[in-house]
């Protein structure tokens, strides 16, 4: 699970001149700012009116992800980059405003598996019928509506022509943000699954994707737990994988091509590759200890070797006393490099068939 900051869009849904919506949005952003800071959330206020979305004018179905118009592409990238949404919505004729329905209809997978909170306002019903209406629609898009809501009666919230709801509403808004962050983190594995390449892994439900700098926290944890065995077998703590900080890991994730094996948002294993001249270097082959003995390491090694096409040889290394690794590598055709013995580390290589 990632520890990066969450990005939450605060979407002001009304767009008519003189609308109350922008004042509600400003109150919400100001109210939530301190709590958002504590929760590592970036709040991004967006007025749907500023998006200049005409009535849906795309030819393709939104589920295809094919967007012909610039206004759709801009909207798509805003929604795609968000981890959750708070819809600041009025009630128009017992339902959500058409601006919100239109903005929802424009996109498909960009919404999926993200939490949707509602801050509604209106007269006697405080906008709650608009929220019920919207909830029914958003679930089709795999948005996940929150139980917490903030419902504001306009007459109660106005103080001398200023929009200033009571303190209990501010508390309700903070509760909504906290719930949104928890649900967003819980849904992260489902979002992750939606974005992977179609490459299945060796275990049921597992899948692979290239790791990037934002995966540094998970990689740091995985390699620390995996290289303890190496430390014990070789009676040394002088192993870089045990010492690297998340910042060190972030740096090499930029330089190496690293494949991660995932299941339900958990990083199960990894391997990294890099070409130098005619050599392919393979390293950091790791499998979570509870999954040893299932052939996962062998699978990751074969996957890494596939990057060696056009190379002359593949090179890797392990501890001189890491008998499990040495056996695996020798079974896969690697032979020790005569000149590479150094500080208890054995280099091994195998030729790549032409
Ligand atoms: C087209 C329209 C329909 C409305 N329908 C409702 C309604 O069904 N229930 C309600 O409580 N208020 C209704 N109102 C009053 C709104 O709650 C109030 O005008 C509010 O300020 C609208 O939000 P806005 O100023 O951000 O557009 C309606 C207002 C408009 C303009």
């Amino acid at each position: 699970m990632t520890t990066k900051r969450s990005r939450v869009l605060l979407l002001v849904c009304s767009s008519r001149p003189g609308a109350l919506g922008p004042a509600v949005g400003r109150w919400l952003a100001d109210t939530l700012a301190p709590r958002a800071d504590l929760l590592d959330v970036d709040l991004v206020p967006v007025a749907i009116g500023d998006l200049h979305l005409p009535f849906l004018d795309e030819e393709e179905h939104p589920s295809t992800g094919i967007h012909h118009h610039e206004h759709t592409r801009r909207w798509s990238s805003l929604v795609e980059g968000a981890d959750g949404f708070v819809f600041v919505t009025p009630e128009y004729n017992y339902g959500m405003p058409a601006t919100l329905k239109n903005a929802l209809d424009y996109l498909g997978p960009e919404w999926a598996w993200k939490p949707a909170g509602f801050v509604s306002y209106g007269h006697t019903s405080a906008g709650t019928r608009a929220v019920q209406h919207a909830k029914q629609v958003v679930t089709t898009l795999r948005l996940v509506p929150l139980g917490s809501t903030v419902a504001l009666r306009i007459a109660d919230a106005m103080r001398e022509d200023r929009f200033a709801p009571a303190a209990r509403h501010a508390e309700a808004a903070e509760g909504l943000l906290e719930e949104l962050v928890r649900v967003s983190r819980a849904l992260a594995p489902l979002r992750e699954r939606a974005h992977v390449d179609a490459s299945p892994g060796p275990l049921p439900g597992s899948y692979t994707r290239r790791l990037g700098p934002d995966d540094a926290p998970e990689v740091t944890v995985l390699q620390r737990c995996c290289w303890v065995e190496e430390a014990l077998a070789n009676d040394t703590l002088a192993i870089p994988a045990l010492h690297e900080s998340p910042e060190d890991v972030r740096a090499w994730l930029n330089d190496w091509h690293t494949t991660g094996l995932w299941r339900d948002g958990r990083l199960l294993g990894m391997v990294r590759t890099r070409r130098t001249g005619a050599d392919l270097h393979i390293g950091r082959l790791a499998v979570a200890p509870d999954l040893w003995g299932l052939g996962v390491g062998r699978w990751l090694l074969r996957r890494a070797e596939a990057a060696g096409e056009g190379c002359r040889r593949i090179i890797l290394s392990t501890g001189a006393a890491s008998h499990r690794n040495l056996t695996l590598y020798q079974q896969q055709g690697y032979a020790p490099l005569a000149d590479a013995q150094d500080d208890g580390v054995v280099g091994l290589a195998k030729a790549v068939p032409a």
Side-chain angles (χ1 to χ4, degrees):
M1 193 167 294
T2 181
T3 51
K4 76 179 174 64
R5 290 175 69 81
S6 304
R7 191 174 162 84
V8 174
L9 300 196
L10 304 182
L11 288 158
V12 171
C13 299
S14 62
S15 61
R16 68 190 182 92
L20 185 61
V24 184
R26 275 194 299 277
W27 166 80
L28 186 67
D30 292 347
T31 300
L32 292 181
R35 190 59 60 104
D37 231 29
L38 290 175
L39 293 168
D40 280 338
V41 168
D42 292 325
L43 296 175
V44 184
V46 176
I48 287 183
D50 291 346
L51 301 171
H52 302 295
L53 294 173
F55 275 126
L56 180 59
D57 62 350
E58 287 287 346
E59 197 177 330
E60 312 288 344
H61 192 284
S63 65
T64 61
I66 300 169
H67 306 312
H68 292 295
H69 299 297
E70 189 49 36
H71 53 251
T72 317
R73 285 199 282 268
R74 271 201 308 271
W75 179 220
S76 165
S77 94
L78 261 175
V79 172
E80 177 68 35
D83 301 296
F85 310 93
V86 180
F87 297 101
V88 178
T89 184
E91 176 173 302
Y92 286 170
N93 299 312
Y94 286 28
M96 74 174 111
T99 43
L100 172 55
K101 179 69 166 63
N102 190 46
L104 288 167
D105 290 343
Y106 256 95
L107 306 175
E110 295 92 332
W111 296 113
W113 310 120
K114 297 175 184 177
F118 292 91
V119 172
S120 68
Y121 54 97
H123 293 312
T124 40
S125 72
T128 50
R129 290 171 295 213
V131 174
Q132 290 311 109
H133 182 211
K135 279 183 172 176
Q136 177 194 319
V137 172
V138 299
T139 54
T140 308
L141 295 163
R142 309 295 189 277
L143 273 161
V144 178
L146 302 179
S148 291
T149 55
V150 181
L152 303 159
R153 286 188 68 226
I154 295 171
D156 297 343
M158 299 307 291
R159 309 250 178 285
E160 292 161 5
D161 281 352
R162 224 167 39 85
F163 186 76
R168 68 189 158 86
H169 293 303
E171 281 164 29
E174 288 173 350
L176 181 139
L177 183 65
E178 277 168 23
E179 188 173 315
L180 186 146
V181 169
R182 289 177 65 205
V183 173
S184 177
R185 295 208 170 121
L187 293 172
L190 293 173
R191 294 202 290 280
E192 160 88 28
R193 191 75 183 92
H195 292 109
V196 291
D197 55 44
S199 173
L203 303 174
S206 65
Y207 49 91
T208 60
R209 72 161 170 82
R210 185 176 178 175
L211 301 181
D214 282 345
D215 297 305
E218 288 83 355
V219 170
T220 309
V221 171
L222 181 69
Q223 61 179 18
R224 287 215 183 173
C225 80
C226 290
W227 266 271
V228 167
E229 187 82 357
E230 285 276 292
L232 293 172
N234 293 278
D235 196 20
T236 178
L237 287 175
I239 298 175
L242 282 178
H243 294 274
E244 285 172 351
S245 67
E247 289 70 37
D248 299 329
V249 172
R250 177 173 268 275
W252 68 248
L253 281 169
N254 265 321
D255 296 342
W256 289 74
H257 188 291
T258 309
T259 299
L261 176 69
W262 297 82
R263 185 168 57 191
D264 297 334
R266 180 187 175 206
L267 183 62
L268 307 178
M270 65 175 179
V271 64
R272 71 181 189 183
T273 57
R274 186 160 70 178
R275 276 182 188 227
T276 317
D279 292 337
L280 177 75
H281 293 264
I282 294 182
R284 300 297 162 96
L285 177 59
V287 178
D290 57 310
L291 299 172
W292 289 354
L294 299 176
V296 177
R298 205 172 298 258
W299 188 91
L300 282 168
L301 181 58
R302 273 201 302 275
R303 171 87 188 231
E305 287 172 343
E309 207 184 306
C311 288
R312 199 166 49 80
R313 60 178 187 165
I314 304 177
I315 298 176
L316 43 73
S317 63
T318 191
S322 303
H323 300 298
R324 275 181 76 244
N325 292 352
L326 287 166
T327 305
L328 168 67
Y329 296 147
Q330 282 167 353
Q331 280 172 350
Q332 300 302 309
Y334 290 85
L337 288 167
D339 56 346
Q341 190 96 16
D342 179 29
D343 289 345
V345 175
V346 184
L348 299 106
K350 83 169 171 186
V352 178

